[in-house]
Amino acid sequence: MTVLLVVMTFNRLAMAVGMSEERAFKWLPHVLESATKYQFTEPKRMAMWIAQCGHESNGFNDLSENLNYSASALRKLWPKRFPTDEIANAYARQPEKIANRAYADRMGNGPEDSGDGWRFRGRGLIQLTGRDCYTAFTAALGVDCINHPSLLSDPRWAALSAGWFWETRKLNVLSDRCDIMAVTKAINGGSHGIIDRQRRYDRALKIVANSIISDVEPTHI
């Protein structure tokens, strides 16, 4: 049995993600490092990874979660955390306060006043969130994201953390089936942004499908 691998260049990455070639040139080594380490070098896997990361990070632009929400948005996103207009208005447009309440007492985080919600907010290309995720990634790669959580906003660790997440959730298997809905649910628990994710996937797959090298043995990936 043989598999097909993608030859990713900075200009192809630019087209697949939808960003400038200058930015793609900076991202390329980190994407390739993650793809090789976590085995998403095959076209369907690469396209799905690019699409999902592209959506989660707004085209590889936002490497730290934006929590600048209005009161109405808070009521909609976290109805149990912001059950009344009065509570929502007290937190609206205050990202740090929002994170500390929204992510308190879950995902390994402490209570609201611990500051863990803000400290371990979503970061990286796939937005790792919560102390548990940061701790597991730290243990896996030996980079101290607990004491230095902002490291996940560095492009290299942003890409590697997305690859690590991909592997731990076994998303290559779902990518092989082109199951974008299942991959999306594994990432954010629902179907949020599915139209944008599908659009990104279709574009990325078209690009990587034209970037294939000769068949190689699976043991080489």
Side-chain angles (χ1 to χ4, degrees), residues 22 44 48 52 56-57 66 70 79 92 97 99 136 138 140 153 158 162 178 183-184 192-194 202 212:
E22 181 180 5
K44 292 178 182 178
M48 186 69 77
Q52 295 288 350
E56 293 293 325
S57 66
N66 179 6
S70 66
K97 285 185 65 176
T138 290
S153 295
C178 304
V183 175
T184 299
H192 177 75
I194 191 64
D202 292 342
I212 298 173

Side-chain angles (χ1 to χ4, degrees), residues 11-134:
N11 58 330
R12 288 171 181 164
L13 180 62
M15 290 186 288
V17 175
M19 60 180 171
S20 71
E21 291 189 357
E22 181 180 5
R23 290 187 59 248
F25 185 80
K26 296 177 181 178
W27 273 105
L28 182 62
H30 310 308
V31 170
L32 293 179
E33 180 183 12
S34 188
T36 301
K37 183 175 181 64
Y38 296 110
Q39 300 185 348
F40 54 89
T41 51
E42 187 274 339
K44 292 178 182 178
R45 297 178 179 184
M46 175 71 80
M48 186 69 77
W49 187 87
I50 287 174
Q52 295 288 350
C53 288
H55 177 82
E56 293 293 325
S57 66
N58 185 30
F60 287 43
N61 284 302
D62 300 334
L63 303 183
S64 182
E65 185 177 10
N66 179 6
L67 289 142
N68 187 26
Y69 293 114
S70 66
S72 60
L74 292 176
R75 294 291 310 276
K76 182 178 180 180
L77 288 169
W78 293 290
K80 292 182 179 179
R81 301 282 172 157
F82 304 94
T84 68
D85 288 339
E86 182 181 6
I87 293 174
N89 284 322
Y91 285 81
R93 302 301 182 190
Q94 300 173 79
E96 185 169 352
K97 285 185 65 176
I98 290 171
N100 286 333
R101 183 178 181 89
Y103 297 141
D105 298 310
R106 61 193 183 103
M107 300 179 291
N109 292 341
E112 183 174 348
D113 61 6
S114 72
D116 281 355
W118 178 251
R119 185 176 301 112
F120 303 115
R121 66 190 182 277
R123 287 191 179 91
L125 283 178
I126 217 159
Q127 301 288 288
L128 290 195
T129 308
R131 180 183 283 272
D132 283 347
C133 246
Y134 278 61

Side-chain angles (χ1 to χ4, degrees), residues 177-189:
R177 302 203 299 259
C178 304
D179 195 340
I180 192 166
M181 182 62 76
V183 175
T184 299
K185 288 182 177 179
I187 292 172
N188 76 358

Side-chain angles (χ1 to χ4, degrees), residues 139-187:
L141 273 78
V143 55
D144 188 1
C145 293
I146 299 302
N147 292 308
H148 306 284
S150 62
L151 283 171
L152 285 176
S153 295
D154 174 84
R156 184 188 181 208
W157 300 116
L160 283 171
S161 65
W164 170 82
F165 182 94
W166 204 257
E167 180 184 68
T168 59
R169 272 63 176 183
K170 304 185 185 305
L171 299 185
N172 277 331
V173 176
L174 298 177
S175 299
D176 290 342
R177 302 203 299 259
C178 304
D179 195 340
I180 192 166
M181 182 62 76
V183 175
T184 299
K185 288 182 177 179
I187 292 172

